């Protein structure tokens, strides 16, 4: 049986059905191809602002309370998120209520009221304050790293936007953003669960068939990283008990052939207590409670990051040991037992996703929108074929000396800062 089915309505809306007949609930997801990289500095955060506003009421449901109750009536709990490239609306629904679920999402995406802007602005400004301390200093390492990785590009802007841009966004800007990007050709509707393809397609046609709109504007491409550059770091003093540390390297985009070995490399570093970073920094040295490596792959670029929080006394040693772990990936291939364990766990996780409607609806919905639709079988086959030599090769090629970026936020000492900057500058030199 096919893992998924794809249909396209006459207006360009793509409809993905993922049959999961062994389950009892369905997940409905609407992906729209718009995020923070589609925004100018003057409108930074407008995608996230608009996502919030679609919950404020529609032509059919005059308030957020009416919408919430309508979703609850079909077994739902609607939510949404905005990232650099996409906005995602999703809800669990009872499989008997496909038509009602599609109609609710269509009401939100096609006919929002876009009023009560001032109330929502206050909420978003409160959310934005999480990135700042009581002195108004930005303390979110993600934001600082983004500016180092992609200077001057929309990817360097926080998804939530800037306080100035949030304050300047009104109903006119929101309506223009809606009209420009919320179009059928820029949207994917995906449903996973005990559902029939014909029923999903009929529900989509009834709810979205009359939707009209053209092509959405293309995002600004990312320029290649300089061939020769220096390690860079930003240091932000903050009165906390720990120093938040983030190390990062630029990566290629999600369609690059190195993306599969990169995904395996990330799991060699992080994902379990036996992964290299946790094993060395926590279990053997006791330098941190938790350390994670994350891989974000966009259309034409990406980044590998390592995040942790450490006591000031542990900062220098934690950075030294983290760099040593990364260097080890470049110098020696992973052992057969280590790599086979990582691959085995990865394959288990793919199997486990078959029990989760949200995981599969998002896998295939996002994959279709991103032009990167990979079946579980494709992932199983290609991940199983990754060799230790390939993982080492991408580490040597992409963990480059001058490509290292770092952010440190917290109560660090000046002498430790000098030592850490020396360590960063000497990585793989």
């Amino acid at each position: 049986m096919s893992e998924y089915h794809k249909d396209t309505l006459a207006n360009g809306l793509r409809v993905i059905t993922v049959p999961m007949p062994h389950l009892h609930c369905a997940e409905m997801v609407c992906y729209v191809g718009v995020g923070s990289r589609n925004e100018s500095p003057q409108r930074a955060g407008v995608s996230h602002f608009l996502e919030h506003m679609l919950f404020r009421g529609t032509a059919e449901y005059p308030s957020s309370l009416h919408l919430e109750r309508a979703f609850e009536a079909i077994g739902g709990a609607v939510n949404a998120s905005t990232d650099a490239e996409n906005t995602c609306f999703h809800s669990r629904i009872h499989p008997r209520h496909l038509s009602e679920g599609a109609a609710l999402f269509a009401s939100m995406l096609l006919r929002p009221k876009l009023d009560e802007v001032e109330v929502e602005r206050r909420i978003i400004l409160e959310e934005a304050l999480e990135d700042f301390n009581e002195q108004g200093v930005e303390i979110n390492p993600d934001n600082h790293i983004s500016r180092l990785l992609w200077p001057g590009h929309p990817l360097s802007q926080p998804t939530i936007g800037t306080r100035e841009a949030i304050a300047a966004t009104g109903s006119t800007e929101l309506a223009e953003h809606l009209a420009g990007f919320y179009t059928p050709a820029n949207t994917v509707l995906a449903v996973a669960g005990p559902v029939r393809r014909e029923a999903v397609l009929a529900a989509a046609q009834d709810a979205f068939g009359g939707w009209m709109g053209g092509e959405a504007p293309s995002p600004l491409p990312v320029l290649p990283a300089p061939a020769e550059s220096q390690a860079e770091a930003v240091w932000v003093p903050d009165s906390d008990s720990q120093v938040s540390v983030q190390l990062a390297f630029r990566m290629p985009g999600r369609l690059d052939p190195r993306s599969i070995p990169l995904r395996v490399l990330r799991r060699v570093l992080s994902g379990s207590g036996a992964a290299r970073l946790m094993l060395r920094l926590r279990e053997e040295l006791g330098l941190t409670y938790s350390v994670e490596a994350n891989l974000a792959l966009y259309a034409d670029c990406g980044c590998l990051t390592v995040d942790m929080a450490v006591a000031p006394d542990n900062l220098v040693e934690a950075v030294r040991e983290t760099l040593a772990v990364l260097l080890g990936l470049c110098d020696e291939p992973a052992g057969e037992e280590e790599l086979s364990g990582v691959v085995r766990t990865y394959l288990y996780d793919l199997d486990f996703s078959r029990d989760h409607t949200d995981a599969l609806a998002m896998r295939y919905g996002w994959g279709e929108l991103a032009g990167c639709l990979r079946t579980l079988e494709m992932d199983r086959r290609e991940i199983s074929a990754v060799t230790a030599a390939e993982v080492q090769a991408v580490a040597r090629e992409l963990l480059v000396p001058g490509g290292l970026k770092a952010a440190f936020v917290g109560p660090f000492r000046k002498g430790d800062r000098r030592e850490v900057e020396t360590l960063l500058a000497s990585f793989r030199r």
Side-chain angles (χ1 to χ4, degrees):
M1 184 175 72
S2 175
E3 289 189 18
Y4 74 96
H5 305 288
K6 174 185 172 181
D7 295 283
T8 304
L9 302 188
N11 60 8
L13 177 75
R14 286 158 286 175
V15 181
I16 302 294
T17 306
V18 188
M20 302 173 74
H22 56 294
L23 299 181
H24 299 86
C25 70
E27 186 81 12
M28 185 171 285
V29 177
C30 289
Y31 270 102
V32 184
V34 62
S36 57
R37 76 173 297 177
N38 300 96
E39 301 166 355
S40 67
Q42 295 75 27
R43 291 197 179 182
V46 65
S47 300
H48 174 260
F49 203 144
L50 181 58
E51 171 226 305
H52 275 231
M53 288 301 301
L54 298 196
F55 288 82
R56 276 276 157 194
T58 73
E60 293 81 9
Y61 303 92
S63 71
S64 57
L65 180 60
H66 287 86
L67 269 172
E68 288 284 352
R69 286 178 173 169
F71 273 101
E72 288 176 2
I74 60 172
V78 66
N79 209 333
S81 62
T82 302
D83 61 22
E85 295 182 321
N86 308 294
T87 303
C88 174
F89 300 86
H90 55 95
S91 180
R92 179 192 64 232
I93 61 172
H94 195 284
R96 290 201 304 263
H97 294 291
L98 293 177
S99 295
E100 294 93 329
L104 280 166
F105 278 117
S107 185
M108 291 177 67
L109 272 61
L110 278 62
R111 297 177 293 277
K113 292 170 62 179
L114 299 183
D115 57 12
E116 299 184 5
V117 173
E118 293 307 318
V119 175
E120 200 60 47
R121 189 195 319 279
R122 290 199 296 271
I123 294 171
I124 294 171
L125 287 171
E126 286 292 322
E127 184 182 356
L129 286 175
E130 295 176 4
D131 290 345
F132 296 84
N133 65 14
E134 61 272 22
Q135 284 80 40
V137 175
E138 190 172 33
I139 57 173
N140 186 333
D142 293 339
N143 295 344
H144 292 290
I145 283 290
S146 294
R147 284 191 283 270
L148 293 178
L149 289 171
W150 299 291
H153 189 274
L155 282 174
S156 69
Q157 301 172 164
T159 301
I160 199 168
T162 62
R163 285 177 288 186
E164 296 77 15
I166 295 167
T169 298
S171 55
T172 299
E173 290 77 17
L174 292 166
E176 289 175 352
H177 206 65
L178 180 78
F181 290 97
Y182 280 64
T183 66
N186 198 37
T187 304
V188 173
L189 174 71
V191 182
V195 296
R196 294 181 299 106
R197 177 184 187 181
E198 296 78 14
V200 171
L201 186 57
Q205 180 63 48
D206 289 345
F208 292 97
W211 190 12
M212 303 301 290
E215 295 291 328
S218 298
L220 187 70
V222 171
L223 295 176
E228 290 293 331
S229 59
Q230 299 295 317
E232 296 179 273
V234 59
W235 295 81
V236 182
D238 187 40
S239 56
D240 202 343
S241 60
Q242 292 180 299
V243 182
S244 294
V245 178
Q246 186 172 121
L247 308 179
F249 294 87
R250 269 182 65 156
M251 294 287 129
R254 55 181 168 255
L255 297 181
D256 189 281
R258 294 167 291 185
S259 65
I260 297 297
L262 267 176
R263 287 159 61 181
V264 175
L265 179 151
R266 201 279 300 175
R267 285 181 171 245
V268 170
L269 287 173
S270 174
S272 73
R276 290 191 181 188
L277 287 171
M278 280 289 279
L279 185 62
R280 182 61 176 159
L281 273 73
R282 172 176 161 144
E283 298 303 320
E284 295 178 358
L285 299 175
L287 294 172
T288 184
Y289 176 72
S290 178
V291 55
E292 292 186 359
N294 294 290
L295 183 65
L297 299 180
Y298 304 126
D300 50 359
C301 63
C303 62
L304 177 72
T305 59
V306 176
D307 292 90
M308 72 187 107
V310 298
D313 289 345
N314 292 336
L315 176 60
V316 175
E317 187 178 3
V319 172
R320 180 185 296 113
E321 293 296 336
T322 301
L323 295 178
V325 170
L326 297 175
L327 186 61
L329 285 173
C330 302
D331 289 347
E332 295 287 340
E336 181 179 346
E337 182 179 358
E338 179 185 25
L339 185 62
S340 63
V342 167
V343 169
R344 181 174 59 248
T345 302
Y346 205 150
L347 298 180
Y348 286 159
D349 286 342
L350 292 176
D351 285 341
F352 296 158
S353 72
R354 294 178 58 83
D355 294 328
H356 299 279
T357 55
D358 55 345
L360 292 196
M362 290 180 177
R363 163 182 279 269
Y364 295 110
W366 174 85
E368 172 60 33
L369 186 69
C372 186
L373 200 159
R374 299 183 56 83
T375 65
L376 292 169
E377 183 54 39
M378 289 171 62
D379 271 359
R380 276 193 289 264
R381 183 175 62 251
E382 294 183 30
I383 288 163
S384 297
V386 170
T387 66
E390 289 176 315
V391 174
Q392 182 187 15
V394 296
R396 292 182 62 85
E397 186 176 356
L398 298 173
L399 302 181
V400 294
L404 176 57
K405 314 298 179 186
F408 303 91
V409 179
F412 54 83
R413 297 184 287 256
K414 290 183 179 179
D416 293 340
R417 173 175 175 171
R418 288 192 293 271
E419 285 192 58
V420 167
E421 289 185 337
T422 299
L423 290 170
L424 298 177
S426 60
F427 177 70
R428 291 192 67 193
R429 295 293 186 183

